[in-house]
Amino acid sequence: MKRFVISLISVLILAACNQGDDPAKATAPDRFPGFTQLSPEGDKAKLYVELSTLKQQDQLVQFKLVKVLDNGYVIQEALTDCRGSLKTLEGMQYKADGKQDKPYPGLAQPIPVSSQPTLATLQQKVCQQAGMEIIEPRVAVADSAEKPASAT
């Protein structure tokens, strides 16, 4: 009986230890306390934003985000102008077990979010929380389209 109880306890301990390997837990909504998951599905499930600490300055909104990677995650600050561009600053990469790994580069220049639905959703959520109107960037119109053709 004693061996049975010891074996049972060993099996339970091993099962508990292996629960951390579940890929679904990598993007669980409550994995990063204080951060809100962008969406429960797709690429948006890999982004979390801290909405309670948004800062507005000079028509920009600064916020903290978590990006889940294959072997860990990154925490970094980001900026948006709520006009279609977003820039991430240098952050810190962490291993899956939460240990600090290495610096993670930010973007040298702001990027347009219009071609990236995940970033567009991120910008929309942040700007709405900050109370800023999202303004779509204007598309440049060629000069020939603006001027009527002249009769010769």
Side-chain angles (χ1 to χ4, degrees), residues 24 27-29 37-48 117-118 121:
T27 57
Q37 188 176 31
L38 217 52
S39 172
E41 298 176 356
D43 286 340
K44 295 175 188 174
K46 295 179 180 181
L47 280 180
Y48 297 75
T118 301
T121 302

Side-chain angles (χ1 to χ4, degrees), residues 15-127:
C17 289
N18 289 331
Q19 285 181 356
D21 297 338
D22 185 1
K25 289 186 179 184
T27 57
D30 59 348
R31 180 172 179 202
F32 302 101
F35 287 82
T36 302
Q37 188 176 31
L38 217 52
S39 172
E41 298 176 356
D43 286 340
K44 295 175 188 174
K46 295 179 180 181
L47 280 180
Y48 297 75
V49 61
E50 189 176 38
L51 297 172
S52 62
T53 60
L54 300 177
K55 298 175 196 163
Q56 284 182 269
Q57 182 178 6
D58 299 329
Q59 301 299 318
L60 294 174
V61 179
Q62 184 173 352
F63 58 97
K64 191 178 287 189
L65 66 92
V66 174
K67 184 181 345 177
V68 177
L69 306 173
D70 291 337
N71 295 316
Y73 58 94
V74 172
I75 298 177
Q76 61 190 148
E77 296 279 333
L79 300 163
T80 182
D81 60 2
C82 297
R83 294 176 182 262
S85 68
L86 183 128
K87 179 179 179 178
T88 57
L89 307 176
E90 183 176 294
M92 184 56 65
Q93 185 171 339
Y94 295 84
K95 296 179 182 181
D97 63 4
K99 292 183 182 171
Q100 189 172 325
D101 190 17
K102 59 187 174 188
Y104 190 84
L107 297 169
Q109 297 293 322
I111 59 168
V113 299
S114 58
S115 63
Q116 300 182 36
T118 301
L119 295 181
T121 302
L122 174 65
Q123 180 185 45
Q124 181 179 11
K125 187 171 219 90
V126 167
C127 294

Side-chain angles (χ1 to χ4, degrees), residues 136-146:
E136 298 296 325
R138 291 186 178 184
V139 178
V141 179
D143 287 340
S144 61
E146 290 179 2

